[in-house]
Amino acid sequence: MTARTVGSLCFRNINALAPMVRVGTLPMRLLALDYGADIVYSEELIDIKMAQCQRVVNEVLETVDFVAPDERVMFRTCKKEKEHVVLQMGTADPDRALIVARLVENDVAAIDINMGCPKEYSTKGGMGAALLSNPDQIEAILRTLVNGVSKPVTCKIRILPTLEETVSLVKRIEGTGVSAIGVHGRLKDERPRHPVHCDVIKAVSQSVSIPVIANGGSLDLIKAHADFEEFRKATGASSVMVARAAMWNPSVFRSQGLLAVEEVMKEYLKYAVRYDNHAFNTKYCLCQILREKVESPLGKQLLSAQTNEEICEAYGLQEYYKKTQAELQTRRDAIQTNRGDPNHPVLDGDVTTMRVKFERREYPGEFSPKMFLLEWSRKENLEQPAYETIQRSQDRAFQSIVTMAGKKYRSTLWEKSKKFAEQAAAIVCLRVLGLPEGRVGEGHSGLVGKRKREEKRKDSPNEEDATVGCEARKRPLSENPAEPRASSGASTLPNGVTHKASAV
């Protein structure tokens, strides 16, 4: 069976940057493309985490970001790599894999399923190399994706204990309609110190008609660009992907020869600054390139750095850092000027939306945003706010719409619980109406507290005198008891609505 013709990505006669945890982020992928890589794989991204992400167009960085509920960017990509980047997914569930694939398919060139990682963080969830012992599940995942997305689907495996088992599995995989298969020529229990089994990869290549991408030759066989072709011939594969050789020096893809690591690190760092890469990830990748030189003066300065700016100082790129930050800030200011307040509400059909997340620590008082909204509705003699909440099946996250005075409000973000989702919706409504929400630093609004006191008086009429006496004792000495309390008069809310605070 031949692979379906899907998308525009070709897997024959190519050299690829292999998926690598913590290394295969945007700066490394772009640098590998600069040096001559044809295809670049992302690091393994776990389906459960990716399914919770929201696709966000980052106009400042000119990227597409997939942002988790905790605001972490799980995957960042850009136009430069769109036709070359393959997102590798860690999954053991066909339906969840399809959700993620459909989320990212318009921003990547292909989808790859990790079936070879032997690390516990991958295998403990039935992912990675754990799938090698469950061929039925492998077929289910791949068929679901092949039939469900418009981009090529591939997978990457390790070899099995016998050649017969390996060939049998690869043929089953070919039957799902995938566009290519990556084969790491080691058993799942073998490590880089063990020799790669080129003969097994060759047998696999001869047994199927789809492209086979050979992997595992970094330590002994691939040290420079010329070695790609030698490894291809030794394995009989259509293509080659490298991990560690590229991690140590991404210019291994360069047909003109390797560059000095100092030059390579500076080019990597420029991409890290330009695309706002996390400083810890930047430092990690640079340390992999430094290798044994990590104890050098430069290495020690790198290890002590805590920010990308400090890393740039170590490499003499202070001016580049300042210039890039100034350019990004100019772009940020221009976007904000054109668009106004980034938290400005947006009308989605008949629902007013804002990007709001309920952070419990920001509302430390006993009165929540929902309570503030409820009290305001009572003051204005309106129907109480009504909440309608839905739950996503893939990650069990919640989103709520609140209807207030005939209008609907919701946050564009999903929350971990129904209560938090309702609070977020209430915050959107309160902010649009210009009402207090009980946030830290807001000050006492009088919206909720006074009603509680009055309810207490109604519940305990015989104690009214005692309560009043208590209130009087709590007044500061400078306050004249004969004067009315400020909270008993009229007050004006930030949106200009005037009400009597006593109408609780």
Side-chain angles (χ1 to χ4, degrees):
M1 177 179 177
T2 57
R4 298 187 314 155
T5 301
V6 183
S8 60
L9 195 62
C10 177
F11 291 94
R12 295 189 185 276
N13 300 314
I14 56 96
N15 296 328
L17 175 71
M20 289 179 280
V21 174
R22 294 191 297 276
V23 175
T25 48
L26 183 58
M28 183 64 78
R29 299 196 304 266
L30 293 178
L31 191 58
L33 289 173
D34 284 349
Y35 289 141
D38 301 295
I39 294 175
V40 290
Y41 285 70
S42 74
E43 61 179 330
E44 180 190 22
L45 298 166
I46 306 303
D47 59 355
I48 295 177
K49 294 181 179 179
M50 283 296 295
Q52 300 177 46
C53 288
Q54 181 179 16
R55 181 185 183 274
V56 177
V57 176
N58 189 325
E59 296 182 62
V60 175
L61 297 178
E62 298 176 318
T63 60
V64 175
D65 300 343
F66 292 86
V67 184
D70 62 2
E71 300 297 315
R72 284 189 303 161
V73 177
M74 302 304 298
F75 177 59
R76 171 168 286 163
T77 185
C78 66
K79 184 178 180 180
K80 182 175 179 178
E81 68 168 4
K82 185 174 182 179
E83 303 302 323
H84 306 276
V85 64
V86 179
L87 182 135
Q88 190 188 64
M89 190 193 317
T91 186
D93 182 88
D95 296 331
R96 200 157 52 226
L98 183 59
I99 289 169
V100 176
R102 286 177 172 170
L103 176 67
V104 304
E105 69 174 315
N106 293 326
D107 299 296
V108 299
I111 308 292
D112 182 79
I113 302 302
N114 180 356
M115 299 180 178
C117 180
K119 302 293 185 181
E120 183 183 1
Y121 67 79
S122 188
T123 58
K124 68 181 179 182
M127 302 177 291
L131 283 169
L132 295 176
S133 59
N134 192 349
D136 291 339
Q137 191 71 351
I138 286 177
E139 283 196 53
I141 292 170
L142 295 178
R143 287 188 188 279
T144 299
L145 293 180
V146 167
N147 295 324
V149 296
S150 61
K151 295 296 174 70
V153 176
T154 65
C155 67
K156 182 171 178 286
I157 68 167
R158 284 188 172 231
I159 62 174
L160 297 175
T162 69
L163 177 59
E164 291 74 18
E165 289 177 288
T166 306
V167 170
S168 175
L169 175 62
V170 171
K171 285 185 175 181
R172 290 186 68 173
I173 290 173
E174 181 184 30
T176 64
V178 295
S179 298
I181 179 170
V183 180
H184 186 134
R186 292 184 177 87
L187 298 166
K188 68 178 182 180
D189 295 326
E190 292 183 323
R191 294 297 177 264
R193 65 179 180 274
H194 297 104
V196 61
H197 301 277
C198 292
D199 56 331
V200 178
I201 301 178
K202 191 168 189 175
V204 168
S205 301
Q206 293 172 345
S207 68
V208 294
S209 59
I210 58 175
V212 172
I213 309 171
N215 177 230
S218 289
L219 186 61
D220 300 321
L221 302 177
I222 300 177
K223 296 181 174 65
H225 183 269
D227 299 329
F228 279 91
E229 186 58 30
E230 293 303 314
F231 188 51
R232 194 192 322 271
K233 290 179 180 178
T235 59
S238 304
S239 301
V240 172
M241 66 165 61
V242 293
R244 287 164 299 138
M247 176 178 70
W248 296 327
N249 191 332
S251 69
V252 70
F253 292 106
R254 191 170 177 267
S255 60
Q256 301 92 329
L258 290 169
L259 296 173
V261 293
E262 291 78 7
E263 181 179 349
V264 171
M265 286 190 289
K266 285 185 177 181
E267 293 304 310
Y268 171 87
L269 186 51
K270 288 179 180 179
Y271 274 132
V273 171
R274 167 61 183 82
Y275 289 102
D276 194 27
N277 197 51
H278 196 289
F280 291 153
N281 181 255
T282 300
K283 184 160 67 172
Y284 177 84
C285 291
L286 289 173
C287 284
Q288 306 314 304
I289 299 174
L290 268 178
R291 299 182 71 189
E292 67 275 0
K293 295 181 181 179
V294 77
E295 293 300 323
S296 66
L298 175 61
K300 291 180 179 178
Q301 191 175 355
L302 171 63
L303 290 173
S304 65
Q306 297 298 311
T307 64
N308 280 335
E309 183 176 12
E310 292 176 358
I311 297 173
C312 284
E313 290 177 7
Y315 286 87
L317 292 175
Q318 300 97 315
E319 290 304 315
Y320 176 83
Y321 180 85
K322 292 178 182 177
K323 178 183 177 183
T324 303
Q325 292 304 308
E327 291 173 352
L328 294 176
Q329 187 59 49
T330 299
R331 192 176 300 149
R332 193 175 293 114
D333 292 341
I335 292 170
Q336 188 166 342
T337 300
N338 294 334
R339 184 172 288 179
D341 185 355
N343 293 322
H344 189 74
V346 176
L347 194 61
D348 182 3
D350 63 342
V351 182
T352 301
T353 67
M354 289 178 68
R355 184 180 172 84
V356 170
K357 184 173 179 61
F358 177 67
E359 297 286 355
R360 189 68 187 88
R361 63 180 180 274
E362 295 181 2
Y363 301 87
E366 63 176 305
F367 307 118
S368 67
K370 282 183 64 179
M371 191 175 295
F372 271 84
L373 185 58
L374 175 62
E375 291 303 312
W376 180 79
S377 70
R378 287 170 171 169
K379 288 177 184 295
E380 298 298 316
N381 295 319
L382 299 172
E383 288 189 14
Q384 293 186 6
Y387 296 86
E388 181 183 354
T389 305
I390 60 173
Q391 184 180 29
R392 284 193 307 208
S393 60
Q394 64 264 34
D395 59 357
R396 304 183 68 80
F398 295 85
Q399 191 176 66
S400 184
I401 293 177
V402 60
T403 301
M404 183 74 252
K407 295 184 178 180
K408 298 178 180 180
Y409 307 85
R410 70 169 169 83
S411 171
T412 59
L413 301 181
W414 292 75
E415 296 281 359
K416 62 183 179 181
S417 72
K418 179 176 181 288
K419 290 182 179 179
F420 276 33
E422 291 178 349
Q423 296 289 4
I427 293 170
V428 173
C429 181
L430 289 164
R431 290 184 182 178
V432 171
L433 296 175
L435 297 169
E437 60 192 66
R439 199 172 185 181
V440 171
E442 230 179 38
H444 181 61
S445 67
L447 257 180
V448 179
K450 195 169 190 303
R451 178 180 179 85
K452 288 292 182 180
R453 291 196 298 273
E454 291 190 355
E455 287 180 349
K456 185 176 180 181
R457 291 175 187 173
K458 292 177 181 177
D459 293 339
S460 306
N462 295 332
E463 299 178 5
E464 183 174 355
D465 292 340
T467 303
V468 173
C470 179
E471 289 295 320
R473 287 195 297 272
K474 289 181 180 178
R475 293 173 182 168
L477 293 176
S478 59
E479 183 177 325
N480 184 348
E483 294 179 357
R485 301 273 317 240
S487 62
S488 64
S491 61
T492 302
L493 296 175
N495 66 344
V497 177
T498 303
H499 67 88
K500 289 188 177 182
S502 60
V504 217

mmCIF file of all heavy atoms in Angstrom, residues 356 373 387 400-402 409-411 420-430:
data_model
loop_
_atom_site.group_PDB
_atom_site.id
_atom_site.type_symbol
_atom_site.label_atom_id
_atom_site.label_comp_id
_atom_site.label_asym_id
_atom_site.label_seq_id
_atom_site.Cartn_x
_atom_site.Cartn_y
_atom_site.Cartn_z
ATOM 1 N N VAL A 356 -10.601 36.678 30.477
ATOM 2 C CA VAL A 356 -10.526 36.810 31.936
ATOM 3 C C VAL A 356 -10.341 35.441 32.569
ATOM 4 O O VAL A 356 -11.031 34.492 32.203
ATOM 5 C CB VAL A 356 -11.808 37.461 32.494
ATOM 6 C CG1 VAL A 356 -11.836 37.373 34.015
ATOM 7 C CG2 VAL A 356 -11.906 38.906 32.054
ATOM 8 N N LEU A 373 -22.059 40.808 41.918
ATOM 9 C CA LEU A 373 -23.023 40.949 40.837
ATOM 10 C C LEU A 373 -24.446 40.721 41.343
ATOM 11 O O LEU A 373 -25.383 41.428 40.957
ATOM 12 C CB LEU A 373 -22.694 39.966 39.716
ATOM 13 C CG LEU A 373 -23.555 40.070 38.448
ATOM 14 C CD1 LEU A 373 -23.468 41.463 37.842
ATOM 15 C CD2 LEU A 373 -23.124 39.009 37.426
ATOM 16 N N TYR A 387 -26.676 31.660 35.346
ATOM 17 C CA TYR A 387 -25.459 31.085 34.788
ATOM 18 C C TYR A 387 -25.765 29.812 34.008
ATOM 19 O O TYR A 387 -26.529 28.962 34.450
ATOM 20 C CB TYR A 387 -24.457 30.779 35.901
ATOM 21 C CG TYR A 387 -23.984 32.005 36.631
ATOM 22 C CD1 TYR A 387 -24.692 32.526 37.705
ATOM 23 C CD2 TYR A 387 -22.820 32.663 36.232
ATOM 24 C CE1 TYR A 387 -24.265 33.664 38.383
ATOM 25 C CE2 TYR A 387 -22.382 33.805 36.889
ATOM 26 C CZ TYR A 387 -23.113 34.303 37.969
ATOM 27 O OH TYR A 387 -22.688 35.422 38.614
ATOM 28 N N SER A 400 -18.540 29.371 31.323
ATOM 29 C CA SER A 400 -19.878 29.771 31.753
ATOM 30 C C SER A 400 -20.300 31.069 31.097
ATOM 31 O O SER A 400 -19.472 31.941 30.818
ATOM 32 C CB SER A 400 -19.908 29.931 33.281
ATOM 33 O OG SER A 400 -21.214 30.217 33.730
ATOM 34 N N ILE A 401 -21.600 31.189 30.840
ATOM 35 C CA ILE A 401 -22.217 32.434 30.363
ATOM 36 C C ILE A 401 -23.163 32.917 31.450
ATOM 37 O O ILE A 401 -23.976 32.142 31.961
ATOM 38 C CB ILE A 401 -23.001 32.212 29.058
ATOM 39 C CG1 ILE A 401 -22.053 31.870 27.905
ATOM 40 C CG2 ILE A 401 -23.817 33.456 28.702
ATOM 41 C CD1 ILE A 401 -22.768 31.557 26.601
ATOM 42 N N VAL A 402 -23.050 34.187 31.816
ATOM 43 C CA VAL A 402 -23.982 34.769 32.767
ATOM 44 C C VAL A 402 -24.910 35.720 32.012
ATOM 45 O O VAL A 402 -24.462 36.509 31.181
ATOM 46 C CB VAL A 402 -23.265 35.502 33.918
ATOM 47 C CG1 VAL A 402 -22.401 36.644 33.413
ATOM 48 C CG2 VAL A 402 -24.289 36.018 34.934
ATOM 49 N N TYR A 409 -22.733 37.452 29.040
ATOM 50 C CA TYR A 409 -21.308 37.732 29.212
ATOM 51 C C TYR A 409 -20.568 36.421 29.493
ATOM 52 O O TYR A 409 -21.080 35.541 30.195
ATOM 53 C CB TYR A 409 -21.077 38.684 30.388
ATOM 54 C CG TYR A 409 -21.879 39.968 30.331
ATOM 55 C CD1 TYR A 409 -23.192 40.011 30.831
ATOM 56 C CD2 TYR A 409 -21.346 41.124 29.784
ATOM 57 C CE1 TYR A 409 -23.939 41.174 30.780
ATOM 58 C CE2 TYR A 409 -22.088 42.304 29.725
ATOM 59 C CZ TYR A 409 -23.378 42.317 30.221
ATOM 60 O OH TYR A 409 -24.112 43.465 30.176
ATOM 61 N N ARG A 410 -19.356 36.300 28.968
ATOM 62 C CA ARG A 410 -18.526 35.133 29.303
ATOM 63 C C ARG A 410 -17.059 35.463 29.075
ATOM 64 O O ARG A 410 -16.708 36.394 28.337
ATOM 65 C CB ARG A 410 -18.907 33.908 28.460
ATOM 66 C CG ARG A 410 -18.556 33.993 26.997
ATOM 67 C CD ARG A 410 -18.725 32.634 26.314
ATOM 68 N NE ARG A 410 -18.650 32.747 24.865
ATOM 69 C CZ ARG A 410 -17.519 32.791 24.170
ATOM 70 N NH1 ARG A 410 -16.357 32.740 24.811
ATOM 71 N NH2 ARG A 410 -17.542 32.895 22.854
ATOM 72 N N SER A 411 -16.212 34.673 29.707
ATOM 73 C CA SER A 411 -14.766 34.752 29.462
ATOM 74 C C SER A 411 -14.417 33.825 28.301
ATOM 75 O O SER A 411 -15.052 32.796 28.113
ATOM 76 C CB SER A 411 -13.985 34.329 30.703
ATOM 77 O OG SER A 411 -12.606 34.202 30.405
ATOM 78 N N PHE A 420 -15.308 28.258 39.274
ATOM 79 C CA PHE A 420 -14.364 29.242 38.738
ATOM 80 C C PHE A 420 -14.877 29.821 37.419
ATOM 81 O O PHE A 420 -14.697 31.007 37.138
ATOM 82 C CB PHE A 420 -12.995 28.601 38.541
ATOM 83 C CG PHE A 420 -12.149 28.566 39.789
ATOM 84 C CD1 PHE A 420 -12.741 28.429 41.037
ATOM 85 C CD2 PHE A 420 -10.768 28.660 39.722
ATOM 86 C CE1 PHE A 420 -11.966 28.399 42.192
ATOM 87 C CE2 PHE A 420 -9.990 28.639 40.867
ATOM 88 C CZ PHE A 420 -10.592 28.498 42.113
ATOM 89 N N ALA A 421 -15.514 28.973 36.605
ATOM 90 C CA ALA A 421 -16.046 29.451 35.321
ATOM 91 C C ALA A 421 -17.134 30.485 35.545
ATOM 92 O O ALA A 421 -17.209 31.505 34.848
ATOM 93 C CB ALA A 421 -16.579 28.273 34.506
ATOM 94 N N GLU A 422 -17.995 30.250 36.530
ATOM 95 C CA GLU A 422 -19.055 31.207 36.841
ATOM 96 C C GLU A 422 -18.472 32.503 37.390
ATOM 97 O O GLU A 422 -18.943 33.601 37.063
ATOM 98 C CB GLU A 422 -20.035 30.580 37.835
ATOM 99 C CG GLU A 422 -20.855 29.447 37.233
ATOM 100 C CD GLU A 422 -21.790 28.803 38.236
ATOM 101 O OE1 GLU A 422 -21.639 29.101 39.451
ATOM 102 O OE2 GLU A 422 -22.654 28.011 37.829
ATOM 103 N N GLN A 423 -17.442 32.389 38.215
ATOM 104 C CA GLN A 423 -16.799 33.594 38.733
ATOM 105 C C GLN A 423 -16.179 34.411 37.596
ATOM 106 O O GLN A 423 -16.277 35.643 37.577
ATOM 107 C CB GLN A 423 -15.713 33.228 39.753
ATOM 108 C CG GLN A 423 -16.209 32.551 41.013
ATOM 109 C CD GLN A 423 -16.975 33.475 41.940
ATOM 110 O OE1 GLN A 423 -17.208 34.633 41.627
ATOM 111 N NE2 GLN A 423 -17.391 32.953 43.083
ATOM 112 N N ALA A 424 -15.555 33.749 36.638
ATOM 113 C CA ALA A 424 -14.949 34.451 35.500
ATOM 114 C C ALA A 424 -16.011 35.183 34.687
ATOM 115 O O ALA A 424 -15.812 36.327 34.257
ATOM 116 C CB ALA A 424 -14.182 33.469 34.622
ATOM 117 N N ALA A 425 -17.147 34.521 34.458
ATOM 118 C CA ALA A 425 -18.239 35.166 33.723
ATOM 119 C C ALA A 425 -18.753 36.381 34.479
ATOM 120 O O ALA A 425 -19.049 37.430 33.885
ATOM 121 C CB ALA A 425 -19.365 34.158 33.485
ATOM 122 N N ALA A 426 -18.867 36.247 35.804
ATOM 123 C CA ALA A 426 -19.316 37.366 36.620
ATOM 124 C C ALA A 426 -18.347 38.539 36.527
ATOM 125 O O ALA A 426 -18.755 39.701 36.463
ATOM 126 C CB ALA A 426 -19.477 36.919 38.075
ATOM 127 N N ILE A 427 -17.048 38.248 36.513
ATOM 128 C CA ILE A 427 -16.037 39.309 36.401
ATOM 129 C C ILE A 427 -16.201 40.059 35.085
ATOM 130 O O ILE A 427 -16.127 41.290 35.041
ATOM 131 C CB ILE A 427 -14.621 38.709 36.514
ATOM 132 C CG1 ILE A 427 -14.379 38.163 37.921
ATOM 133 C CG2 ILE A 427 -13.560 39.768 36.182
ATOM 134 C CD1 ILE A 427 -13.112 37.360 38.054
ATOM 135 N N VAL A 428 -16.416 39.323 33.988
ATOM 136 C CA VAL A 428 -16.611 39.973 32.688
ATOM 137 C C VAL A 428 -17.794 40.933 32.764
ATOM 138 O O VAL A 428 -17.708 42.091 32.340
ATOM 139 C CB VAL A 428 -16.833 38.929 31.572
ATOM 140 C CG1 VAL A 428 -17.204 39.631 30.265
ATOM 141 C CG2 VAL A 428 -15.582 38.078 31.383
ATOM 142 N N CYS A 429 -18.894 40.466 33.315
ATOM 143 C CA CYS A 429 -20.097 41.299 33.423
ATOM 144 C C CYS A 429 -19.823 42.537 34.265
ATOM 145 O O CYS A 429 -20.169 43.667 33.885
ATOM 146 C CB CYS A 429 -21.239 40.483 34.021
ATOM 147 S SG CYS A 429 -22.788 41.405 34.184
ATOM 148 N N LEU A 430 -19.183 42.345 35.412
ATOM 149 C CA LEU A 430 -18.888 43.460 36.308
ATOM 150 C C LEU A 430 -17.979 44.491 35.648
ATOM 151 O O LEU A 430 -18.183 45.707 35.786
ATOM 152 C CB LEU A 430 -18.249 42.939 37.597
ATOM 153 C CG LEU A 430 -19.187 42.161 38.538
ATOM 154 C CD1 LEU A 430 -18.387 41.377 39.569
ATOM 155 C CD2 LEU A 430 -20.164 43.105 39.226
#
